[in-house]
Amino acid sequence: MNVAHTIQTTTKTLFSFEILPPLKGKGIETIYNTIDPLMEYKPQFINITSHREVYDANNNRVRRRPGTVAIAGAISHKYNIPVVPHILCGGFNRKETEYVLLDLHFLGINNVLALRGDALRSDEPYTPEPEGNRYAQDLLRQIADMNKGKFIGDTDYNTSSPTHFSCGVAGYPEKHYAAPDLDTDILHLKEKQDAGAQYIITQMFFDNAHYFNFVAKCRAVGITIPIVPGIKPIGLKNQVDVLPKLFHIELPQDLDTALRACSDDEQAKQIGTQWAIMQAKELIAHNVPLLHLFTYSSAKQSVEIAKAVF
Ligand code: FAD
């Protein structure tokens, strides 16, 4: 199933969610335990994040959460649901990217989220691998070539068998941290649409006004593809400081104050859930095509939200 088509043609707000591969050495059961209780709410697809190597405390490069492709295959097989693995530019050269995409093609997985990925260290500027894609739009062009049967090094691609990928991309209602301003970032987002992106999933935001403003600005520059809001339920008290720093977003003053007044994580989780439900209800009232929950490794809050709004 082509998830872009589902998002583009729906007449009511649908539901999808995103999970993290387990830490290296952990079993896949944690993934199934996350997915099982959410299946009742009829998700349209499940995204699986992707993680490049990072430096550990001993300065070794490690991949803490490998296995995106295999997990996508396992989920699609077990639940018979479309999966959307994330594909990164950072950490991979174009040949390695081609091999990953071919693995997905052979598994019958034709939906991907095309992303640049972040820098290797949080304090470094992002640098692509030698022979790697620099921006998400370059990755989209590589995928568009493969969809025409054009592979790296092919001299006669008329005889190749094309892939059939449908691509989503990321968007940032509060701008990407490296962009000089929101308008410039949106112009680069338009370039992703021009390079073949069929829908956008946004970064988390906690004030729906940011989403509505972003959509209006995107439409004004000719971005016509669906813009799916990404919702993150806050689950820990320290996320009041961690999330703005990590994701370059703002928390509304009311939410910030309420979280700081919490005595423990349980209270923070309740506030986070209620806030996400409030956001979701308003977004549904505005006929967004789909709500995408950043469930990651814990289903409990996503279940509460899905139960309250679907
Ligand atoms: P791009 O679209 O390439 O943009 C990156 C920056 O470059 C922006 O500032 C943009 O304005 C600028 N830019 C783009 N094109 C040009 C150009 N031609 N010239 C100059 N500047 C340009 N990260 C992970 O590592 N794994 C994940 O699984 C993952 N999942 C995500 C899911 C969602 C829904 C979202 C919103 C983000 C996710 N990320 C993930 C984070 C993402 O990889 C980072 O935010 C990354 O820094 C940017 O990725 P991008 O695809 O938006 O980049």
Side-chain angles (χ1 to χ4, degrees):
M1 193 178 85
N2 179 318
V3 308
H5 180 74
T6 304
I7 299 171
Q8 283 159 5
T9 54
T10 184
T11 50
K12 63 170 192 166
T13 303
L14 302 170
F15 165 54
S16 63
F17 64 94
E18 184 161 318
I19 55 151
L20 290 170
L23 285 166
K24 193 167 94 171
K26 302 279 180 200
I28 198 165
E29 296 74 25
T30 54
I31 300 278
Y32 299 149
N33 293 340
T34 304
I35 295 174
D36 285 342
L38 282 163
M39 291 308 285
E40 184 185 338
Y41 301 98
K42 301 194 174 28
Q44 296 299 305
F45 55 89
I46 301 174
N47 282 44
I48 302 110
T49 61
S50 181
H51 301 264
R52 65 175 297 177
E53 288 178 319
V54 289
Y55 284 102
D56 70 7
N58 301 318
N59 223 20
N60 297 316
R61 278 175 78 153
V62 291
R63 276 190 91 186
R64 292 210 180 95
R65 294 182 187 272
T68 300
V69 169
I71 288 166
I75 294 173
S76 135
H77 179 69
K78 182 171 162 71
Y79 296 95
N80 194 23
I81 185 172
V83 285
V84 185
H86 294 185
I87 303 293
L88 302 180
C89 302
F92 304 91
N93 64 39
R94 294 179 77 251
K95 280 187 185 159
E96 289 164 338
T97 299
E98 187 179 79
Y99 299 148
V100 168
L101 289 163
L102 283 172
D103 283 345
L104 292 172
H105 175 59
F106 294 140
L107 282 165
I109 295 171
N110 296 317
N111 298 288
V112 295
L113 196 73
L115 298 154
R116 187 197 73 171
D118 282 323
L120 197 52
R121 293 181 198 269
S122 58
D123 56 346
E124 278 175 354
Y126 167 83
T127 319
E129 293 297 300
E131 310 283 323
N133 290 308
R134 174 171 288 275
Y135 295 114
Q137 57 175 283
D138 302 318
L139 172 57
L140 288 163
R141 285 191 200 97
Q142 179 176 8
I143 296 172
D145 276 349
M146 291 177 68
N147 283 348
K148 290 182 208 136
K150 192 174 176 184
F151 298 88
I152 295 170
D154 260 4
T155 46
D156 180 10
Y157 65 87
N158 288 325
T159 59
S160 302
S161 169
T163 56
H164 310 284
F165 287 109
S166 160
C167 300
V169 291
Y172 302 83
E174 295 173 70
K175 100 172 178 66
H176 182 258
Y177 69 90
D181 52 64
L182 184 57
D183 289 342
T184 309
D185 201 24
I186 287 175
L187 289 177
H188 291 311
L189 183 54
K190 167 79 166 52
E191 289 163 3
K192 293 199 271 193
Q193 174 180 279
D194 297 343
Q198 292 172 285
Y199 62 95
I200 296 159
I201 300 186
T202 75
Q203 184 56 280
M204 65 184 73
F205 55 87
F206 293 90
D207 180 346
N208 287 349
H210 287 306
Y211 171 81
F212 297 131
N213 173 52
F214 177 66
V215 173
K217 278 178 171 283
C218 287
R219 299 301 179 227
V221 299
I223 295 176
T224 53
I225 55 180
I227 303 176
V228 170
I231 298 293
K232 160 89 182 114
I234 287 186
L236 298 170
K237 184 169 157 57
N238 73 0
Q239 286 176 343
V240 68
D241 293 314
V242 171
L243 294 180
K245 206 167 148 210
L246 210 57
F247 295 101
H248 307 272
I249 45 113
E250 277 178 7
L251 296 190
Q253 195 55 56
D254 290 2
L255 179 59
D256 183 287
T257 307
L259 289 169
R260 287 186 195 287
C262 289
S263 52
D264 56 23
D265 284 341
E266 199 41 51
Q267 258 188 27
K269 192 174 279 187
Q270 281 172 23
I271 287 171
T273 306
Q274 289 314 312
W275 193 274
I277 290 172
M278 185 183 77
Q279 282 193 273
K281 284 186 171 166
E282 189 186 17
L283 290 163
I284 292 171
H286 280 75
N287 291 322
V288 297
L290 183 107
L291 281 180
H292 185 73
L293 294 185
F294 296 113
T295 296
Y296 298 148
S297 316
S298 154
K300 200 165 166 269
Q301 280 184 291
S302 295
V303 168
E304 275 188 60
I305 296 161
K307 200 171 171 181
V309 302
F310 290 111

